[in-house]
Structure formats: C-alpha cells, structure tokens
Amino acid sequence: MDLATIIGLVLAFGLVLSGIMVGSSLLVFADVPSALIVLGGTIGCTLVNYPLNKVLSVIGVIKKTVFTKAESPSEIIGRFMEYANRARREGILSLEPLLKEIDDDYLRKGLQLTVDGLEPATIESILDTEVSYLEQRHEAGAEIVGVMGAFAPAMGMIGTVIGLVQMLQTMSDPSTIGPAMAVALITTFYGAILANLVFLPMAGKLKDRSRDELLTRDLIKEGILAISKGENPRIIEEKLNSFLPPKQRQVTP
C-alpha cells in the first residue's frame, strides 16, 4: 500500500472539509443535480473519447496508485546475485526449479528463455517487445485519468451555466437569487475538486510508477542477459548497481 497516496488524499480532503465546516455546514455544499452533472458528464465524455474496455480498465489502474508495492531494485539485485552464483556453480539449468517461486511474470519469462537456451539477442528482443507494450498500457491508463481531470472542470462550468440560466428564470423573486447562485457555483466546485484532488494527482502518480517500473524492467533485462552470457557474478553485480544511486548500491563481500 502506498502511504503517500493515502496521506495525500486524507490531507487534501480533510483540509478542504475543515475549511468548509469552519464557515458553514457541509450540507450547504451537498447538491445531487450538481454531482450528477459533473460525475455523469465526466464519465460520459470519457466513454466518447475512449473505447469501453479501456475506460473500464481505469478501475484497475487507479488501484495501482494505492495498493501496488514494487520490489526494490536492491532486492532484485540480491536475487540476481543468487541466480548468477548458482548458474556459475551448477549450470544454467539449475535455475529451472526456481521459476515456480518467482511471482514477477517478466522476470520468470526472462529466466525461462535463458534456461531454454535462447541466444541473448533473441532474449533481448522478446523482453524489449514486452517492455514496449507495457509502456503503452501505462501511458494509456495515465492518459485516461488525466483526460478525466480535464473533463471534470469543464462539466462543472456547464453545470454552472445551467444553474445560472435557471436562476435568471426566477429573477422576479429576489429571495431565490442567492440560493440559486450558490447551487450554480457548486458544480464548478465539484469539478475542481475531482480534477485537482483526485484525477490529476493520480495521473501524475501513475506516470511516476510507470517510470519506476520501466527502470526495474531494464534492470531485470540487464541481469538476465548477463546470466545468459555466462558473465562473472561480480561483473553482473557492478552492472546492476549502476542502475542505483551510489548510496543505495550494495557490494557483496
């Protein structure tokens, strides 16, 4: 679980709600028609802009901003040192029993190709293709969430215009102007909240997660290729450590 995302959401919404409650009741900001316009309009526009299957996949993408926990590069390097030393002592086929214990599909696939005896160039080509499509999927998910962040304020403005038109129809009764104006502005408030507290920050987090995962994939690919070439474990460790900042590098005694 990503604590930064949880803390950020709680802090952002908590401060906004606290600011509202200091000056008025939360019920003043509760308006069902405004919420329907903003939420329904945002989802509808997103469906027009993207195929249904891609929009539905956003649910799983958003979960990644909260629940995904990636293995640290240092742990991955430690695992590769075990694989490299074992392959050097007992041969590359000795890695086959370990495949069932690996949860990472990309790492398991790379080691399986190595155990199967494929040439390093072929392994690299297959892994590069895997990473290329992974990057496209990540970009698509972040893009959809970002587009929802752009649609939400626009739908809020549309709701405000609707409210203003309805307010102008009741100008004969001055007592209704204030409440009607408040309801008209609430839709803009809802759109701004969804865009700036939910969708746009999540799109940024997804892009950051994508960069981290691509770096991890590059590290894994480098380790697999080094093992497939039969390189010395010490050289493999030096290669993989180059992916890390100097303070995080670990050298096996």
Side-chain angles (χ1 to χ4, degrees):
M1 181 176 291
D2 183 34
L3 287 179
T5 301
I6 299 296
I7 293 172
L9 288 173
V10 171
L11 185 62
F13 278 98
L15 291 176
V16 170
L17 293 176
S18 298
I20 291 173
M21 295 174 68
V22 167
S24 63
S25 169
L26 281 176
L27 295 177
V28 176
F29 287 81
D31 186 68
V32 175
S34 297
L36 291 176
I37 290 172
V38 175
L39 285 173
T42 299
I43 295 172
C45 290
T46 305
L47 287 170
V48 172
N49 206 57
Y50 295 99
L52 178 61
N53 63 325
K54 288 189 176 181
V55 176
L56 293 177
S57 68
V58 168
I59 298 174
V61 169
I62 291 177
K63 287 181 180 178
K64 289 186 176 181
T65 64
V66 179
F67 297 108
T68 299
K69 182 182 178 183
E71 188 176 11
S72 71
S74 298
E75 293 174 347
I76 294 174
I77 292 175
R79 293 176 65 177
F80 266 107
M81 293 311 301
E82 295 177 8
Y83 299 154
N85 285 317
R86 180 164 180 164
R88 188 174 180 84
R89 292 192 310 266
E90 306 173 24
I92 199 69
L93 292 178
S94 65
L95 299 179
E96 189 167 15
L98 303 179
L99 295 176
K100 61 182 72 174
E101 303 173 2
I102 299 175
D103 296 326
D104 189 316
D105 293 336
Y106 184 78
L107 174 57
R108 184 170 60 250
K109 182 175 184 177
L111 285 179
Q112 181 66 67
L113 295 173
T114 302
V115 170
D116 290 343
L118 273 70
E119 292 294 325
T122 304
I123 296 174
E124 183 175 14
S125 176
I126 294 173
L127 295 181
D128 283 343
T129 302
E130 187 87 15
V131 169
S132 177
Y133 282 103
L134 174 70
E135 187 174 8
Q136 290 181 24
R137 291 193 297 271
H138 284 186
E139 289 179 354
E143 180 184 329
I144 292 174
V145 177
V147 166
M148 293 177 75
F151 284 145
M155 296 310 303
M157 290 300 298
I158 290 174
T160 297
V161 171
I162 293 172
L164 290 175
V165 171
Q166 293 174 342
M167 181 192 71
L168 292 173
Q169 292 178 341
T170 60
M171 288 291 286
S172 57
D173 184 2
S175 64
T176 64
I177 295 177
M181 175 64 79
V183 171
L185 293 177
I186 285 175
T187 52
T188 298
F189 173 73
Y190 286 170
I193 286 289
L194 280 178
N196 296 290
L197 268 63
V198 180
F199 294 135
L200 295 181
M202 283 189 173
K205 176 59 70 71
L206 289 172
K207 291 178 182 178
D208 184 69
R209 284 278 171 80
S210 178
R211 287 191 292 268
D212 289 345
E213 189 163 352
L214 290 175
L215 175 63
T216 301
R217 291 288 183 261
D218 285 340
L219 188 154
I220 290 174
K221 183 183 74 172
E222 188 66 35
I224 288 171
L225 293 176
I227 291 176
S228 69
K229 295 174 184 176
E231 293 182 358
N232 186 288
R234 180 68 69 179
I235 296 176
I236 295 176
E237 185 177 37
E238 289 296 331
K239 282 186 175 182
L240 299 185
N241 271 328
S242 65
F243 285 84
L244 303 180
K247 291 183 179 180
Q248 297 181 16
R249 295 176 184 176
Q250 300 179 2
V251 179
T252 303

